[in-house]
């Protein structure tokens, strides 16, 4: 399939290969090119707004925030989790959006071809790495998406809980999108319970309070 | 000592305690308050500019980028490192700047009381957490600063290498600060070699090329 254009205007590589030192091992040169390319994640803007400033959050900030949430909240996982692997999952999970863009949780049209767009983006991005690391990064991304391991289920729970905290702190945020209701938000975030029943209990309290205060439409 | 004002105008807590659900365990409530407070790291602006956009980077994006660099470059550490602990070190290392602000590597005046400012900030920020986690986070921050473990030395190497890649990609960046010379940059980044001799070799090549192309002043 054809990928949408990159998120920045220039399709050129961010570190011009012609300007790199020539006497560097190809493996290290490939790793540095990948590290430069993923700078683009800082330009992928999400719908959620920060708590600390009046602007929208980007994917790099969001991924960092999820990693800190893993460090603080791991004790609430339904099953024991390997914190290191869970950190890797949340750090890597949004990289494909560099080419595939952010897809809103409530946008059913964009969600239709989301899997296909993101899969093509993963192949393109991870191919910048040496083959062993390409496979390792692709495996982490696959694991997150499939939610078949306790780590992936907890990582996904963080990914749903974080914007929910931002929306609650912003007295509504993206919950005020036309057509979004308490029942819909509850449906789209209930996956939190697969990672942590205790954090889903907490989420339900936030959503009930949000509805009661008029920050989410009832129904 | 007196701390400088917070980086955002409002000194109020980002999630108003009066608006939180009341039937939540105090431990979880404290953890959520910390997670909300650290949203401020996204508003601490550094001097380095992105590769992918014409704006300055913030500490949350920077910390995420370092974590990805650890995942990709760990094989170059001088001594075997525990990747999980190294990830934790880079994810946590800049949190104190929420209250202490970012200090430029080349600003010798600000560097004078940097340790004192950051230590006071660490005490204030980590005190939001339950005591066991307060101690764990403080220990991670101390470990990073002291550079006595292989993990801390590698984490610090990433912290120096990342803005250097941004400067190189931006054909100078903060290297163009008046008074900054090749010798000064080399001096302030040589700590990279304590974490990885191979990445320090690479750094020296970048700095030599930068000087040759006029992106850093000679001398």
């Amino acid at each position: 399939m054809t990928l949408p254009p990159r998120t920045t205007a220039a399709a050129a590589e961010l570190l011009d290969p012609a300007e790199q030192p020539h006497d560097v091992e190809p493996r290290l040169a490939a790793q540095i090119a990948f590290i430069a390319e993923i700078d683009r994640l800082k330009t992928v803007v999400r719908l959620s707004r920060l708590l600390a400033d009046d602007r929208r959050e980007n994917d790099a900030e969001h991924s960092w925030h999820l990693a800190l949430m893993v460090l603080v909240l791991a004790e609430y996982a339904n099953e024991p989790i390997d914190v290191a692997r869970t950190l890797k999952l949340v750090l890597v999970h949004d990289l494909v959006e560099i080419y595939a863009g952010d897809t809103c949780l409530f946008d059913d049209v964009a969600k239709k071809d989301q899997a296909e767009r993101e899969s093509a983006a993963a192949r393109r991005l991870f191919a910048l790495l040496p083959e062993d690391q390409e496979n390792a990064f692709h495996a982490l991304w696959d694991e997150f998406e499939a939610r078949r391991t306790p780590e992936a289920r907890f990582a996904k729970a963080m990914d749903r809980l974080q914007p929910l905290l931002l929306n609650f702190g912003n007295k509504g945020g993206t919950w005020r999108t036309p057509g979004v209701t308490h029942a819909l938000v509850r449906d789209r975030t209930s996956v939190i319970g697969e990672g942590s029943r205790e954090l889903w209990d907490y989420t339900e309290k936030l959503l009930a309070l949000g509805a009661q205060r008029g920050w989410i439409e009832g129904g």
Side-chain angles (χ1 to χ4, degrees), chain A residues 1-115:
Chain A
M1 70 177 295
T2 312
L3 282 167
R6 294 180 189 233
T7 53
T8 47
E13 288 172 75
L14 294 180
L15 282 182
D16 185 347
E19 294 194 330
Q20 298 310 299
H22 295 300
D23 48 348
V24 172
E25 288 291 328
R27 180 174 174 87
L28 177 56
Q31 290 163 323
I32 296 288
F34 176 80
I35 288 165
E37 182 68 7
I38 62 173
D39 199 64
R40 296 183 196 272
L41 198 68
K42 303 167 189 171
T43 70
V44 181
V45 178
R46 298 166 52 83
L47 289 167
S48 310
R49 302 186 88 80
L50 302 187
L51 293 173
D53 199 4
D54 185 23
R55 66 164 173 84
R56 287 159 68 187
E57 177 176 58
N58 69 57
D59 269 349
E61 300 168 321
H62 165 71
S63 300
W64 169 82
H65 213 166
L66 297 195
L68 268 285
M69 288 173 67
V70 169
L71 290 181
V72 173
L73 300 177
E75 68 197 63
Y76 300 105
N78 288 341
E79 303 154 90
I81 54 169
D82 175 339
V83 170
R85 202 158 91 247
T86 315
L87 286 177
K88 292 179 191 176
L89 293 173
V90 298
L91 289 166
V92 165
H93 84 289
D94 267 345
L95 280 173
V96 298
E97 297 190 358
I98 287 174
Y99 305 137
D102 180 49
T103 304
C104 173
L105 195 58
F106 309 122
D107 182 344
D108 288 322
V109 175
K111 283 168 81 78
K112 273 186 188 160
D113 69 342
Q114 184 181 6

Side-chain angles (χ1 to χ4, degrees), chain A residues 99-148:
Chain A
Y99 305 137
D102 180 49
T103 304
C104 173
L105 195 58
F106 309 122
D107 182 344
D108 288 322
V109 175
K111 283 168 81 78
K112 273 186 188 160
D113 69 342
Q114 184 181 6
E116 200 189 343
R117 271 185 292 124
E118 294 192 346
S119 184
R123 283 194 300 278
R124 172 169 159 191
L125 180 66
F126 299 141
L128 291 175
L129 286 165
E131 197 179 345
D132 59 315
Q133 294 190 324
E134 174 184 2
N135 294 336
F137 272 72
H138 211 115
L140 284 170
W141 180 69
D142 284 340
E143 180 178 343
F144 177 85
E145 291 294 316
R147 300 207 307 273
R148 267 187 236 106

